[in-house]
Amino acid sequence: MPQSLDLFPIGNCAASGLIDRAGRLVWACAPRVDGDPMFSSLLGPDPDAEPDAQGFWGVEVEDQAQVTQTYLRNTPILVTEIADRSGAAIQVIDFCPRYRQFGRVYRPLAFIRLIRPVSGVARVRIRLRPTVNWGERPADRTTGSNHIRYVGGETTLRLTTDAPVSHLTGERSFRLEETVAMFLGPDEGFDADLSATCERMLKETTAYWRGWVRTLSVPLEWQEAVIRAAITLKLCAHEESGAIVAALTTSIPEHAGSGRNWDYRYCWLRDAYYVVQALNRLGAADLLENYLVYLRNLVDRTRGGHIQPLYGVGMEPSLTEHFASHLPGYRGMGPVRVGNQAHEHLQHDVYGQIILSSVQAFFDERLLRPATIEDFRALEMVGERAFELHDQPDASLWEFRGRENVHTYSAVMCWAACDRLGNAAAKLGLQDRADHWNARAAQVRATIEARAWNPKLGRFAATFGGDELDASLLQLVDVRFVAPDDPRMAATIAAVEQGLRRGPYMLRYAIPDDFGEPKTAFNICTFWLIEALHLSGRSEEARRLFEEMLARRTAAGLLSEDIAFDGAELWGNYPQTYSLVGLINCATMLSKPWASVR
């Protein structure tokens, strides 16, 4: 089957992987989400087309007839059932172990596959072909009586199994007469009964995720969609630091042959406000608090100076961009990029993103560590930076690589930084600081209203003194810069729809950029339109558009970054955090209240 984004994520907030519709693990990086892909065939040769293809872990049935896949309810544990033409069938259960033991969370860099006979006796073949150095070559291997070591990359991994090792190294087919357990993880001996231990890990991992989902606040409607998005959002977290990555992949193009192939396995601060908003609506306090820790650490490191648009999951500032020449790319559409040059950009909205997110901790009594006056003083340095830069040019949240302007969205986020600092100061009883920040917010507001408003067109423009349209203008309501019933906002929404809407879907912008004109819609922008329609009283239209977006999800219930104008295919990195939080936020806003069923 051709490469597709119809993929099922698995993970445990340390390890993550993507499984295709044939039940193959086709993408997984080590030792972190931004590391070398040991399973790289998502961006490499297609295993169905090239017998020597590498970078995947497949379980195949002879004379295969049918494959069905589903997650265990309220977990990221995937069950793939494969049947042959005679009716014999097997089940492959894929998961990364995660549960509490010894007073802490056990979440190793490990993948477990359990292959169970279901009916009849099927013949199976296991092909385990990890790569090193971005697909340059297969990993070297050494074998023991019950294990295979894969060496040569950033991380040495060991497969422990109760299947005959020579069946795996020789890729021989064999009768599956009993369950086969496979544990691919750290290069350590497995000093326990493998099958019993993997079954226990499955049971405890299932209990962990179902227990976590029980803590969520979900809307009455679209619960299954929201729960799946919430679980996947958690899979995008690097729990060790608290970072949440923009996607699990790199270099999936925004449209065919576009060259818009970016590495999204990093933490973008432009996402911060929307992620925190979604976590708030879900009541996911554990994930929220850990993310706020990551943001506080960044604030400490920058000490009132420049804040980058993105950082590595370990807060690394340098993400030098280069090409991985050994991989041809998704469907052969290179280049494959590692790193992201956007870390060098100026994006002034990040100061507002940091403050909008961090102010949560001054008001949220659930948190184990409420924010302190010392935290406020640190955020004031970020606010001073926002005030200083509110009317200065930047690359915008869309990271234009070839031009700069004073972007309205960036200015509005700088206003929000000052406005929310005023709220936090009032909560702390610091009236003098509240007055200071409220005055600064008023000054920034006056500048925006004078320079972003285009009187000739009767609407806000995307740049100061300009006439461009940008879907981020829809966010003026969400961040409370403009009231939903403000006539200026109604005119702006109408203009954005007319200029950027393609059928049900929204572009970010319609003007050519460094790579030409956009040829796909950007999913978060469609969710922004849904929010704006609802807030401006067009709720039925918003609901119809939301249902349209739900219908475009993969079999896993997820969305990527972009979608074709006809809705026929998803493009861009996957699963996309922006799209996950857009789905969660819209479902929460649009759903009927729980009281309606009582």
Side-chain angles (χ1 to χ4, degrees):
M1 61 181 64
Q3 289 168 325
S4 163
L5 293 184
D6 201 359
L7 304 166
F8 291 80
I10 60 171
N12 62 6
C13 305
S16 60
L18 296 172
I19 295 174
D20 71 7
R21 295 308 299 273
R24 290 180 295 230
L25 185 59
V26 296
W27 184 258
C29 299
R32 306 189 316 193
V33 64
D34 55 355
D36 183 11
M38 53 187 172
F39 298 112
S40 58
S41 68
L42 180 63
L43 301 181
D46 183 356
D48 286 326
E50 300 191 30
D52 294 330
Q54 300 290 325
F56 65 94
W57 184 1
V59 178
E60 302 164 0
V61 170
E62 280 190 4
D63 202 22
Q64 183 172 306
Q66 185 178 11
V67 179
T68 58
Q69 290 171 296
T70 186
Y71 284 114
L72 291 185
R73 179 177 176 269
N74 291 355
T75 78
I77 300 168
L78 181 65
V79 179
T80 301
E81 187 161 309
I82 308 173
D84 68 18
R85 297 186 189 281
S86 69
I90 69 166
Q91 240 182 28
V92 183
I93 301 175
D94 284 292
F95 69 102
C96 299
R98 179 183 174 90
Y99 49 87
R100 292 195 66 82
Q101 69 174 10
F102 310 129
R104 58 187 182 271
V105 175
Y106 175 68
R107 44 169 170 75
L109 176 63
F111 300 87
I112 294 177
R113 308 198 86 173
L114 297 173
I115 310 175
R116 293 174 172 170
V118 174
S119 62
V121 180
R123 293 186 64 83
V124 302
R125 180 170 67 146
I126 299 168
R127 294 197 290 169
L128 178 51
R129 300 180 176 184
T131 57
V132 299
N133 192 25
W134 287 85
E136 179 181 12
R137 59 182 175 82
D140 297 326
R141 70 188 186 197
T142 62
T143 62
S145 57
N146 297 104
H147 75 265
I148 307 172
R149 295 174 68 245
Y150 295 94
V151 300
E154 294 180 33
T155 304
T156 296
L157 296 174
R158 178 188 292 237
L159 177 80
T160 303
T161 182
D162 51 13
V165 167
S166 62
H167 284 359
L168 275 66
T169 57
E171 296 185 352
R172 290 197 297 261
S173 65
F174 61 95
R175 288 168 58 92
L176 187 72
E177 297 181 344
E178 58 185 358
T179 298
V180 166
M182 295 183 286
F183 182 98
L184 180 66
D187 185 22
E188 304 165 353
F190 200 100
D191 299 326
D193 182 303
L194 177 66
S195 181
T197 302
C198 288
E199 292 288 354
R200 175 182 61 80
M201 288 179 172
L202 173 61
K203 181 178 179 180
E204 295 197 26
T205 300
T206 302
Y208 169 83
W209 284 102
R210 288 179 175 168
W212 183 75
V213 168
R214 285 185 64 205
T215 69
L216 300 180
S217 174
V218 297
L220 173 62
E221 298 180 270
W222 310 298
Q223 290 183 51
E224 187 176 348
V226 170
I227 289 170
R228 183 54 52 198
I231 289 172
T232 310
L233 182 58
K234 190 173 175 73
L235 296 186
C236 290
H238 183 70
E239 192 166 59
E240 184 177 76
S241 67
I244 298 178
V245 298
L248 297 179
T249 60
T250 177
S251 302
I252 308 298
E254 292 183 15
H255 59 82
S258 67
R260 302 171 187 263
N261 301 13
W262 316 119
D263 191 348
Y264 274 11
R265 302 167 304 146
Y266 309 111
C267 188
W268 260 262
L269 299 187
R270 70 177 185 192
D271 300 355
Y273 167 62
Y274 305 103
V275 170
V276 168
Q277 191 179 54
L279 295 177
N280 263 326
R281 287 170 167 160
L282 289 169
D286 60 334
L287 194 52
L288 169 64
E289 188 148 33
N290 210 29
Y291 187 49
L292 293 178
V293 169
Y294 180 85
L295 297 180
R296 281 198 296 269
N297 273 307
L298 284 181
V299 170
D300 279 355
R301 287 167 67 100
T302 56
R303 298 187 180 280
H306 171 62
I307 296 178
Q308 296 176 188
L310 68 153
Y311 291 85
V313 295
M315 292 177 284
E316 297 85 0
S318 180
L319 304 171
T320 304
E321 188 175 295
H322 62 279
F323 295 156
S325 59
H326 303 292
L327 290 172
Y330 180 73
R331 300 184 189 170
M333 299 176 192
V336 172
R337 285 186 170 90
V338 184
N340 199 302
Q341 186 251 334
H343 77 275
E344 301 174 359
H345 290 182
L346 299 177
Q347 285 180 231
H348 302 330
D349 66 292
V350 299
Y351 302 99
Q353 298 278 0
I354 287 271
I355 290 173
L356 278 166
S357 303
S358 300
V359 161
Q360 166 87 17
F362 294 97
F363 296 88
D364 194 337
E365 295 294 339
R366 299 170 300 168
L367 301 183
L368 296 174
R369 183 198 178 280
T372 64
I373 288 181
E374 289 73 21
D375 294 327
F376 176 76
R377 299 298 185 199
L379 284 178
E380 282 198 294
M381 292 190 289
V382 179
E384 293 293 350
R385 186 82 174 161
F387 180 74
E388 173 190 346
L389 297 171
H390 75 272
D391 59 354
Q392 299 301 305
D394 72 353
S396 97
L397 82 160
W398 306 128
E399 299 168 353
F400 293 121
R401 294 194 169 202
R403 64 175 184 270
E404 289 189 342
N405 280 296
V406 182
H407 290 95
T408 300
Y409 178 82
S410 296
V412 167
M413 293 303 282
C414 290
W415 164 83
C418 299
D419 179 74
R420 302 319 194 262
L421 280 173
N423 294 346
K427 178 68 166 61
L428 293 170
L430 304 174
Q431 192 55 50
D432 59 328
R433 302 312 297 163
D435 293 342
H436 170 81
W437 287 111
N438 290 337
R440 293 220 150 165
Q443 184 176 339
V444 176
R445 172 181 283 280
T447 301
I448 295 168
E449 292 187 335
R451 298 180 61 188
W453 178 254
N454 186 315
K456 183 182 295 185
L457 298 175
R459 60 166 174 82
F460 286 104
T463 60
F464 280 14
D467 59 5
E468 301 96 332
L469 287 169
D470 182 327
S472 64
L473 290 170
L474 297 170
Q475 288 295 285
L476 270 59
V477 171
D478 191 67
V479 299
R480 304 199 302 271
F481 184 80
V482 179
D485 57 356
D486 190 316
R488 297 176 301 171
M489 195 63 212
T492 302
I493 292 173
V496 169
E497 278 197 88
Q498 182 178 3
L500 301 182
R501 189 168 176 175
R502 302 292 185 269
Y505 313 118
M506 288 291 297
L507 297 173
R508 290 169 289 184
Y509 47 82
I511 57 175
D513 58 18
D514 319 61
F515 293 82
E517 291 187 9
K519 291 184 171 60
T520 50
F522 202 68
N523 288 324
I524 186 61
C525 296
T526 304
F527 286 120
W528 286 349
L529 175 62
I530 292 167
E531 291 177 351
L533 293 175
H534 172 68
L535 292 171
S536 60
R538 297 162 62 184
S539 295
E540 285 306 312
E541 188 177 350
R543 287 176 66 90
R544 288 195 298 272
L545 189 51
F546 183 62
E547 292 283 1
E548 166 69 23
M549 292 301 291
L550 292 181
R552 301 305 173 185
R553 293 174 299 153
T554 63
L558 305 171
L559 290 164
S560 65
E561 179 184 32
D562 305 280
I563 192 167
F565 293 157
D566 62 3
E569 187 165 14
L570 294 172
W571 292 90
N573 284 302
Y574 173 91
Q576 178 79 359
T577 294
Y578 248 166
S579 299
L580 297 173
V581 300
L583 187 157
I584 292 165
N585 288 331
C586 286
T588 306
M589 292 178 67
L590 295 172
S591 175
K592 298 173 185 175
W594 279 94
S596 66
V597 297
R598 294 175 187 154

